[in-house]
Amino acid sequence: MKDSSFSPPFEETEIRCPRLGGPVTFGYCRIERQQRPCQRAIKCWSGHFDVAAFFRERLTPDEFDACFLEQPLSKVVTLIELIEQARKTLENKQKQ
């Protein structure tokens, strides 16, 4: 992600997240996936400001495509990845 001093106009404004079911800020949405924007960020925030331009200014074209144009993982795949990540974390803690 490119560095920029511009702050979006709705950094602290909360909207309802369709994925989480509760309120979230744009500050959360823009780093939701390990410092990457949520795949739904453009759809969710487009009524508030030109969020696509915001991300195009900050991301390389490849990063933008990876964040917003790739198909989202299914919930099952995401759940399996989270279980595997938790298993590896537990194994690493037991080795220490």
Side-chain angles (χ1 to χ4, degrees):
M1 191 179 288
K2 298 175 189 173
D3 185 31
S4 177
S5 60
F6 174 76
S7 293
F10 296 99
E11 187 74 22
E12 298 301 324
T13 300
E14 291 183 337
I15 63 171
R16 183 187 175 281
C17 174
R19 290 181 54 225
L20 301 176
V24 295
T25 64
F26 182 69
Y28 174 80
C29 296
R30 65 188 182 101
I31 59 168
E32 182 261 344
R33 293 184 303 154
Q34 300 175 347
Q35 303 300 312
R36 294 292 183 119
C38 173
Q39 286 183 315
R40 298 183 56 95
I42 291 177
K43 183 175 183 179
C44 294
W45 288 94
S46 63
H48 299 274
F49 67 102
D50 190 355
V51 64
F54 174 84
F55 284 120
R56 285 193 188 282
E57 183 178 305
R58 282 152 183 79
L59 302 172
T60 66
D62 289 342
E63 289 173 329
F64 186 90
D65 290 350
C67 289
F68 301 112
L69 300 180
E70 291 180 355
Q71 291 293 320
L73 298 175
S74 73
K75 288 183 180 182
V76 173
V77 171
T78 301
L79 184 57
I80 290 170
E81 288 179 354
L82 289 173
I83 291 169
E84 182 64 23
Q85 186 178 19
R87 187 183 64 75
K88 287 180 181 177
T89 300
L90 182 61
E91 286 177 0
N92 289 339
K93 284 185 178 180
Q94 290 175 344
K95 289 179 183 177
Q96 295 176 354

